[in-house]
Amino acid sequence: VNALTESSALKYKENILPLHDSLENLKKVQGISFVRKGDQSRQLGFIADEIYKIFPELVNLKDGEVDSVYYQRVTAVLVEALKELSQKVEAHETILNELRKK
């Protein structure tokens, strides 16, 4: 089976920090549709130069210059943003329920 994986066990990591403000930071990211130079097929993605300004850890540098995005690593940011959004929704539901009781 062909699968995209990265070593991710705790044994490979140190200086672990949680992500913060993922939802706000994702709001600054622009998803785009584009045609790669020399190709005719339309694709979806990001501009690495823009991602680098917000999430430099998600960008691969080549010869010291922005080159590519580690798309698989975007998942960590998306998960944290969903959790933040879920907390906001739950807080709003609590407020709505309290207002309904009045």
Side-chain angles (χ1 to χ4, degrees):
V1 175
N2 291 332
L4 176 63
T5 66
E6 288 189 64
S7 299
S8 192
L10 182 59
K11 65 184 177 182
Y12 298 118
K13 299 174 182 178
E14 61 186 9
N15 195 18
I16 298 167
L17 300 171
L19 296 178
H20 294 286
D21 302 318
S22 294
L23 184 58
E24 286 304 312
N25 284 325
L26 275 178
K27 288 180 183 180
K28 300 172 190 171
V29 171
Q30 176 69 54
I32 60 165
S33 165
F34 65 96
V35 175
R36 187 175 301 280
K37 293 177 181 179
D39 193 353
Q40 296 301 313
S41 60
R42 184 146 293 276
Q43 300 176 26
L44 301 176
F46 304 110
I47 295 176
D49 310 67
E50 293 178 3
I51 295 290
Y52 185 75
K53 295 174 188 173
I54 304 161
F55 299 108
E57 306 91 339
L58 297 178
V59 174
N60 180 48
L61 301 178
K62 186 175 182 180
D63 299 325
E65 294 185 9
V66 170
D67 184 63
S68 55
V69 174
Y70 293 113
Y71 280 94
Q72 68 277 21
R73 296 178 186 176
V74 175
T75 305
V77 179
L78 293 172
V79 166
E80 292 306 310
L82 282 171
K83 288 166 37 178
E84 291 172 19
L85 188 58
S86 179
Q87 289 175 347
K88 287 183 180 216
V89 168
E90 289 170 7
H92 289 157
E93 286 175 345
T94 300
I95 292 168
L96 281 174
N97 288 335
E98 289 175 7
L99 289 174
R100 286 183 182 133
K101 289 178 184 176
K102 292 183 180 182

